[in-house]
Amino acid sequence: MPVEETDTQVIVTLPSDPTTKVTILKYGGTVISWLNKGNEQLWVSEGAFLDGSKPVRGGIPLVFPIFGKQKDESHPTYPLPQHGFVRNSTWEFLGQTTANPPTVQFGLGPEQINSDLLKLWDNGSNDFTLILTVKLEAEKLTTEIEVENTGSKKFEFNWLFHTYFKIPDITDTLINNLIDQKCYDQLLKEHYTEKSPIISFHEEFDRIYQSIPLDKIFQIIEFGKVLINVRRLNLPDAVVWNPWIKKSEATADFFPKTGYLNMVCVEPGNVSSFINLNAGEKWKGGQELSIGGEIKVQTNIY
Ligand code: TA6
């Protein structure tokens, strides 16, 4: 069955290959599994809560209307919890939009959001509709979001797909095509230009790469082989994160504690600035995740 709905999940299977499927938890609209020919591509903590009690630690949590924690006390998103309130709200399954490639949609509006959380944003005065589209193809998963301002006044927001990729070993993992990009290092609290032709990991890593040309595709590489390609659709930024040892140990739902060795987050978003949406306007952004292929060096590394 190409699309199966349970009380809490929707499972989409590729008609041509029953071992290729994607599972979306209605809570948070969180993709919690992407099997490509039976091989899991996403990392989910063994301590993740899948019962709707906490945002999922892993998969593809959704971040809106604020990335991180707002530091400007005067900003309407200041009172909101880290990463906003859509990863901890239950989305409505809207159904299948196309048969091949199988594509499904989920919707979220103010009425589905915890009222205590909703009123933290502009006193609950913003009206909006979010539509999440998940498309499954052979060797490829695309997730897109459409944000519509259905209210009578403008608002501004961040969006991010907080994608956790499953990898064999972070110490053998490289990410390319970020050289010469401006970034904000969340650990050093500094802005600088990335000088490494290829990113490698040997400690906690938490950088927001900003205003990257959309033709830049990030490749997660191991031993000269492309594991995953990350292409952004209308999302200028990307966060790269690995919690490493201390942060993993300090994060209650992060299990096993050695799990940092087997995951890396590459998170397409619009987080270094806000998207302004006037009443009646719509905005769209997405990520296209594909498997394998040739290494493409898109930067001048010589
Ligand atoms: O995307 C990276 C990041 O902002 C890190 O700074 C870290 O906080 C991570 O998100 C996880 O955040 P969470 O709220 O899910 O624990």
PDB file of all heavy atoms in Angstrom, residues 33-59:
ATOM      1  N   SER A  33      11.764   8.414   9.656  1.00  0.00           N
ATOM      2  CA  SER A  33      12.523   7.348   8.982  1.00  0.00           C
ATOM      3  C   SER A  33      12.472   7.556   7.475  1.00  0.00           C
ATOM      4  O   SER A  33      11.431   7.920   6.930  1.00  0.00           O
ATOM      5  CB  SER A  33      11.940   5.971   9.326  1.00  0.00           C
ATOM      6  OG  SER A  33      12.541   4.964   8.506  1.00  0.00           O
ATOM      7  N   TRP A  34      13.607   7.372   6.831  1.00  0.00           N
ATOM      8  CA  TRP A  34      13.686   7.351   5.363  1.00  0.00           C
ATOM      9  C   TRP A  34      14.543   6.141   4.983  1.00  0.00           C
ATOM     10  O   TRP A  34      15.748   6.168   5.132  1.00  0.00           O
ATOM     11  CB  TRP A  34      14.274   8.655   4.831  1.00  0.00           C
ATOM     12  CG  TRP A  34      14.622   8.620   3.354  1.00  0.00           C
ATOM     13  CD1 TRP A  34      14.013   7.869   2.366  1.00  0.00           C
ATOM     14  CD2 TRP A  34      15.653   9.372   2.699  1.00  0.00           C
ATOM     15  NE1 TRP A  34      14.608   8.107   1.148  1.00  0.00           N
ATOM     16  CE2 TRP A  34      15.605   9.020   1.320  1.00  0.00           C
ATOM     17  CE3 TRP A  34      16.597  10.306   3.141  1.00  0.00           C
ATOM     18  CZ2 TRP A  34      16.488   9.587   0.394  1.00  0.00           C
ATOM     19  CZ3 TRP A  34      17.476  10.872   2.224  1.00  0.00           C
ATOM     20  CH2 TRP A  34      17.401  10.506   0.858  1.00  0.00           C
ATOM     21  N   LEU A  35      13.847   5.092   4.551  1.00  0.00           N
ATOM     22  CA  LEU A  35      14.553   3.870   4.134  1.00  0.00           C
ATOM     23  C   LEU A  35      14.714   3.926   2.633  1.00  0.00           C
ATOM     24  O   LEU A  35      13.724   4.049   1.903  1.00  0.00           O
ATOM     25  CB  LEU A  35      13.737   2.630   4.522  1.00  0.00           C
ATOM     26  CG  LEU A  35      13.653   2.284   6.019  1.00  0.00           C
ATOM     27  CD1 LEU A  35      12.618   1.180   6.248  1.00  0.00           C
ATOM     28  CD2 LEU A  35      15.013   1.881   6.567  1.00  0.00           C
ATOM     29  N   ASN A  36      15.939   3.821   2.158  1.00  0.00           N
ATOM     30  CA  ASN A  36      16.193   3.743   0.731  1.00  0.00           C
ATOM     31  C   ASN A  36      16.736   2.339   0.438  1.00  0.00           C
ATOM     32  O   ASN A  36      17.809   1.971   0.928  1.00  0.00           O
ATOM     33  CB  ASN A  36      17.200   4.797   0.272  1.00  0.00           C
ATOM     34  CG  ASN A  36      17.342   4.795  -1.252  1.00  0.00           C
ATOM     35  OD1 ASN A  36      16.440   5.196  -1.966  1.00  0.00           O
ATOM     36  ND2 ASN A  36      18.474   4.306  -1.739  1.00  0.00           N
ATOM     37  N   LYS A  37      15.956   1.562  -0.255  1.00  0.00           N
ATOM     38  CA  LYS A  37      16.310   0.146  -0.482  1.00  0.00           C
ATOM     39  C   LYS A  37      16.625  -0.553   0.845  1.00  0.00           C
ATOM     40  O   LYS A  37      17.601  -1.285   0.986  1.00  0.00           O
ATOM     41  CB  LYS A  37      17.509   0.041  -1.410  1.00  0.00           C
ATOM     42  CG  LYS A  37      17.277   0.575  -2.832  1.00  0.00           C
ATOM     43  CD  LYS A  37      18.386   0.085  -3.779  1.00  0.00           C
ATOM     44  CE  LYS A  37      18.139   0.567  -5.210  1.00  0.00           C
ATOM     45  NZ  LYS A  37      18.817   1.878  -5.464  1.00  0.00           N
ATOM     46  N   GLY A  38      15.824  -0.215   1.856  1.00  0.00           N
ATOM     47  CA  GLY A  38      15.954  -0.872   3.157  1.00  0.00           C
ATOM     48  C   GLY A  38      17.015  -0.262   4.057  1.00  0.00           C
ATOM     49  O   GLY A  38      17.153  -0.664   5.213  1.00  0.00           O
ATOM     50  N   ASN A  39      17.777   0.722   3.545  1.00  0.00           N
ATOM     51  CA  ASN A  39      18.836   1.333   4.351  1.00  0.00           C
ATOM     52  C   ASN A  39      18.371   2.665   4.932  1.00  0.00           C
ATOM     53  O   ASN A  39      17.997   3.570   4.177  1.00  0.00           O
ATOM     54  CB  ASN A  39      20.098   1.566   3.493  1.00  0.00           C
ATOM     55  CG  ASN A  39      20.628   0.254   2.929  1.00  0.00           C
ATOM     56  OD1 ASN A  39      20.822  -0.714   3.661  1.00  0.00           O
ATOM     57  ND2 ASN A  39      20.811   0.198   1.602  1.00  0.00           N
ATOM     58  N   GLU A  40      18.417   2.771   6.278  1.00  0.00           N
ATOM     59  CA  GLU A  40      17.975   3.994   6.968  1.00  0.00           C
ATOM     60  C   GLU A  40      18.943   5.135   6.703  1.00  0.00           C
ATOM     61  O   GLU A  40      20.155   4.991   6.860  1.00  0.00           O
ATOM     62  CB  GLU A  40      17.844   3.746   8.474  1.00  0.00           C
ATOM     63  CG  GLU A  40      17.342   4.939   9.262  1.00  0.00           C
ATOM     64  CD  GLU A  40      15.978   5.440   8.783  1.00  0.00           C
ATOM     65  OE1 GLU A  40      14.988   4.689   8.977  1.00  0.00           O
ATOM     66  OE2 GLU A  40      15.916   6.555   8.235  1.00  0.00           O
ATOM     67  N   GLN A  41      18.399   6.284   6.295  1.00  0.00           N
ATOM     68  CA  GLN A  41      19.243   7.443   5.971  1.00  0.00           C
ATOM     69  C   GLN A  41      19.258   8.485   7.080  1.00  0.00           C
ATOM     70  O   GLN A  41      20.086   9.408   7.048  1.00  0.00           O
ATOM     71  CB  GLN A  41      18.718   8.099   4.678  1.00  0.00           C
ATOM     72  CG  GLN A  41      18.664   7.138   3.494  1.00  0.00           C
ATOM     73  CD  GLN A  41      20.004   6.510   3.147  1.00  0.00           C
ATOM     74  OE1 GLN A  41      21.030   7.196   3.110  1.00  0.00           O
ATOM     75  NE2 GLN A  41      20.005   5.204   2.931  1.00  0.00           N
ATOM     76  N   LEU A  42      18.297   8.393   7.996  1.00  0.00           N
ATOM     77  CA  LEU A  42      18.184   9.414   9.052  1.00  0.00           C
ATOM     78  C   LEU A  42      18.544   8.812  10.403  1.00  0.00           C
ATOM     79  O   LEU A  42      18.338   7.614  10.649  1.00  0.00           O
ATOM     80  CB  LEU A  42      16.747   9.979   9.079  1.00  0.00           C
ATOM     81  CG  LEU A  42      16.263  10.622   7.779  1.00  0.00           C
ATOM     82  CD1 LEU A  42      14.807  11.055   7.925  1.00  0.00           C
ATOM     83  CD2 LEU A  42      17.136  11.807   7.376  1.00  0.00           C
ATOM     84  N   TRP A  43      19.063   9.669  11.290  1.00  0.00           N
ATOM     85  CA  TRP A  43      19.411   9.225  12.641  1.00  0.00           C
ATOM     86  C   TRP A  43      18.321   9.661  13.594  1.00  0.00           C
ATOM     87  O   TRP A  43      17.876  10.824  13.573  1.00  0.00           O
ATOM     88  CB  TRP A  43      20.744   9.859  13.079  1.00  0.00           C
ATOM     89  CG  TRP A  43      21.215   9.393  14.417  1.00  0.00           C
ATOM     90  CD1 TRP A  43      21.961   8.269  14.690  1.00  0.00           C
ATOM     91  CD2 TRP A  43      20.984  10.035  15.695  1.00  0.00           C
ATOM     92  NE1 TRP A  43      22.214   8.166  16.039  1.00  0.00           N
ATOM     93  CE2 TRP A  43      21.619   9.238  16.689  1.00  0.00           C
ATOM     94  CE3 TRP A  43      20.308  11.186  16.109  1.00  0.00           C
ATOM     95  CZ2 TRP A  43      21.598   9.551  18.051  1.00  0.00           C
ATOM     96  CZ3 TRP A  43      20.277  11.512  17.455  1.00  0.00           C
ATOM     97  CH2 TRP A  43      20.923  10.700  18.402  1.00  0.00           C
ATOM     98  N   VAL A  44      17.833   8.737  14.418  1.00  0.00           N
ATOM     99  CA  VAL A  44      16.885   9.055  15.483  1.00  0.00           C
ATOM    100  C   VAL A  44      17.436   8.461  16.772  1.00  0.00           C
ATOM    101  O   VAL A  44      17.842   7.299  16.809  1.00  0.00           O
ATOM    102  CB  VAL A  44      15.473   8.493  15.201  1.00  0.00           C
ATOM    103  CG1 VAL A  44      14.538   8.742  16.393  1.00  0.00           C
ATOM    104  CG2 VAL A  44      14.871   9.119  13.941  1.00  0.00           C
ATOM    105  N   SER A  45      17.490   9.296  17.800  1.00  0.00           N
ATOM    106  CA  SER A  45      17.998   8.841  19.096  1.00  0.00           C
ATOM    107  C   SER A  45      17.171   7.670  19.621  1.00  0.00           C
ATOM    108  O   SER A  45      15.940   7.646  19.471  1.00  0.00           O
ATOM    109  CB  SER A  45      17.918  10.009  20.095  1.00  0.00           C
ATOM    110  OG  SER A  45      18.063   9.548  21.426  1.00  0.00           O
ATOM    111  N   GLU A  46      17.850   6.736  20.250  1.00  0.00           N
ATOM    112  CA  GLU A  46      17.127   5.616  20.900  1.00  0.00           C
ATOM    113  C   GLU A  46      16.325   6.127  22.097  1.00  0.00           C
ATOM    114  O   GLU A  46      15.451   5.446  22.602  1.00  0.00           O
ATOM    115  CB  GLU A  46      18.132   4.535  21.341  1.00  0.00           C
ATOM    116  CG  GLU A  46      18.771   3.812  20.173  1.00  0.00           C
ATOM    117  CD  GLU A  46      19.964   2.939  20.605  1.00  0.00           C
ATOM    118  OE1 GLU A  46      20.087   2.681  21.831  1.00  0.00           O
ATOM    119  OE2 GLU A  46      20.745   2.533  19.728  1.00  0.00           O
ATOM    120  N   GLY A  47      16.653   7.365  22.516  1.00  0.00           N
ATOM    121  CA  GLY A  47      15.906   7.958  23.635  1.00  0.00           C
ATOM    122  C   GLY A  47      14.849   8.945  23.167  1.00  0.00           C
ATOM    123  O   GLY A  47      14.266   9.673  23.970  1.00  0.00           O
ATOM    124  N   ALA A  48      14.618   8.979  21.854  1.00  0.00           N
ATOM    125  CA  ALA A  48      13.632   9.944  21.321  1.00  0.00           C
ATOM    126  C   ALA A  48      12.234   9.608  21.837  1.00  0.00           C
ATOM    127  O   ALA A  48      11.858   8.440  21.969  1.00  0.00           O
ATOM    128  CB  ALA A  48      13.647   9.892  19.796  1.00  0.00           C
ATOM    129  N   PHE A  49      11.480  10.677  22.126  1.00  0.00           N
ATOM    130  CA  PHE A  49      10.080  10.489  22.524  1.00  0.00           C
ATOM    131  C   PHE A  49       9.235  10.524  21.253  1.00  0.00           C
ATOM    132  O   PHE A  49       9.248  11.521  20.528  1.00  0.00           O
ATOM    133  CB  PHE A  49       9.641  11.608  23.477  1.00  0.00           C
ATOM    134  CG  PHE A  49      10.314  11.545  24.831  1.00  0.00           C
ATOM    135  CD1 PHE A  49      11.588  12.059  25.005  1.00  0.00           C
ATOM    136  CD2 PHE A  49       9.670  10.936  25.908  1.00  0.00           C
ATOM    137  CE1 PHE A  49      12.226  11.974  26.243  1.00  0.00           C
ATOM    138  CE2 PHE A  49      10.298  10.867  27.147  1.00  0.00           C
ATOM    139  CZ  PHE A  49      11.572  11.379  27.319  1.00  0.00           C
ATOM    140  N   LEU A  50       8.518   9.440  20.962  1.00  0.00           N
ATOM    141  CA  LEU A  50       7.665   9.403  19.759  1.00  0.00           C
ATOM    142  C   LEU A  50       6.192   9.435  20.157  1.00  0.00           C
ATOM    143  O   LEU A  50       5.305   9.182  19.343  1.00  0.00           O
ATOM    144  CB  LEU A  50       7.988   8.152  18.928  1.00  0.00           C
ATOM    145  CG  LEU A  50       9.459   8.026  18.465  1.00  0.00           C
ATOM    146  CD1 LEU A  50       9.647   6.744  17.656  1.00  0.00           C
ATOM    147  CD2 LEU A  50       9.921   9.243  17.660  1.00  0.00           C
ATOM    148  N   ASP A  51       5.954   9.730  21.448  1.00  0.00           N
ATOM    149  CA  ASP A  51       4.567   9.680  21.960  1.00  0.00           C
ATOM    150  C   ASP A  51       3.915  11.079  22.018  1.00  0.00           C
ATOM    151  O   ASP A  51       2.853  11.240  22.597  1.00  0.00           O
ATOM    152  CB  ASP A  51       4.573   9.062  23.371  1.00  0.00           C
ATOM    153  CG  ASP A  51       5.411   9.917  24.348  1.00  0.00           C
ATOM    154  OD1 ASP A  51       6.028  10.919  23.911  1.00  0.00           O
ATOM    155  OD2 ASP A  51       5.433   9.567  25.547  1.00  0.00           O
ATOM    156  N   GLY A  52       4.580  12.062  21.472  1.00  0.00           N
ATOM    157  CA  GLY A  52       4.012  13.413  21.466  1.00  0.00           C
ATOM    158  C   GLY A  52       4.280  14.196  22.732  1.00  0.00           C
ATOM    159  O   GLY A  52       3.723  15.269  22.950  1.00  0.00           O
ATOM    160  N   SER A  53       5.153  13.631  23.587  1.00  0.00           N
ATOM    161  CA  SER A  53       5.406  14.345  24.851  1.00  0.00           C
ATOM    162  C   SER A  53       6.555  15.344  24.721  1.00  0.00           C
ATOM    163  O   SER A  53       6.679  16.258  25.534  1.00  0.00           O
ATOM    164  CB  SER A  53       5.724  13.331  25.957  1.00  0.00           C
ATOM    165  OG  SER A  53       6.894  12.580  25.595  1.00  0.00           O
ATOM    166  N   LYS A  54       7.397  15.117  23.691  1.00  0.00           N
ATOM    167  CA  LYS A  54       8.568  16.004  23.485  1.00  0.00           C
ATOM    168  C   LYS A  54       8.911  16.019  22.009  1.00  0.00           C
ATOM    169  O   LYS A  54       8.667  15.033  21.308  1.00  0.00           O
ATOM    170  CB  LYS A  54       9.794  15.431  24.233  1.00  0.00           C
ATOM    171  CG  LYS A  54      10.029  15.960  25.628  1.00  0.00           C
ATOM    172  CD  LYS A  54      11.433  15.623  26.108  1.00  0.00           C
ATOM    173  CE  LYS A  54      12.486  16.489  25.391  1.00  0.00           C
ATOM    174  NZ  LYS A  54      13.823  16.388  25.994  1.00  0.00           N
ATOM    175  N   PRO A  55       9.504  17.097  21.513  1.00  0.00           N
ATOM    176  CA  PRO A  55       9.958  17.075  20.121  1.00  0.00           C
ATOM    177  C   PRO A  55      10.902  15.888  19.885  1.00  0.00           C
ATOM    178  O   PRO A  55      11.653  15.503  20.786  1.00  0.00           O
ATOM    179  CB  PRO A  55      10.719  18.402  19.972  1.00  0.00           C
ATOM    180  CG  PRO A  55      10.187  19.285  21.035  1.00  0.00           C
ATOM    181  CD  PRO A  55       9.784  18.400  22.162  1.00  0.00           C
ATOM    182  N   VAL A  56      10.821  15.307  18.698  1.00  0.00           N
ATOM    183  CA  VAL A  56      11.626  14.113  18.390  1.00  0.00           C
ATOM    184  C   VAL A  56      13.108  14.497  18.304  1.00  0.00           C
ATOM    185  O   VAL A  56      13.464  15.472  17.632  1.00  0.00           O
ATOM    186  CB  VAL A  56      11.170  13.491  17.058  1.00  0.00           C
ATOM    187  CG1 VAL A  56      12.068  12.297  16.686  1.00  0.00           C
ATOM    188  CG2 VAL A  56       9.705  13.059  17.148  1.00  0.00           C
ATOM    189  N   ARG A  57      13.931  13.747  18.978  1.00  0.00           N
ATOM    190  CA  ARG A  57      15.405  13.920  18.878  1.00  0.00           C
ATOM    191  C   ARG A  57      15.861  13.090  17.681  1.00  0.00           C
ATOM    192  O   ARG A  57      16.217  11.917  17.791  1.00  0.00           O
ATOM    193  CB  ARG A  57      16.073  13.435  20.164  1.00  0.00           C
ATOM    194  CG  ARG A  57      17.607  13.436  20.108  1.00  0.00           C
ATOM    195  CD  ARG A  57      18.198  14.793  20.032  1.00  0.00           C
ATOM    196  NE  ARG A  57      17.770  15.609  21.175  1.00  0.00           N
ATOM    197  CZ  ARG A  57      17.793  16.945  21.175  1.00  0.00           C
ATOM    198  NH1 ARG A  57      18.203  17.585  20.094  1.00  0.00           N
ATOM    199  NH2 ARG A  57      17.384  17.613  22.230  1.00  0.00           N
ATOM    200  N   GLY A  58      15.824  13.741  16.523  1.00  0.00           N
ATOM    201  CA  GLY A  58      16.307  13.048  15.324  1.00  0.00           C
ATOM    202  C   GLY A  58      15.304  13.158  14.181  1.00  0.00           C
ATOM    203  O   GLY A  58      14.256  13.806  14.304  1.00  0.00           O
ATOM    204  N   GLY A  59      15.612  12.510  13.081  1.00  0.00           N
ATOM    205  CA  GLY A  59      14.759  12.583  11.892  1.00  0.00           C
ATOM    206  C   GLY A  59      14.840  13.984  11.291  1.00  0.00           C
ATOM    207  O   GLY A  59      15.946  14.556  11.167  1.00  0.00           O
TER     208      GLY A  59
END
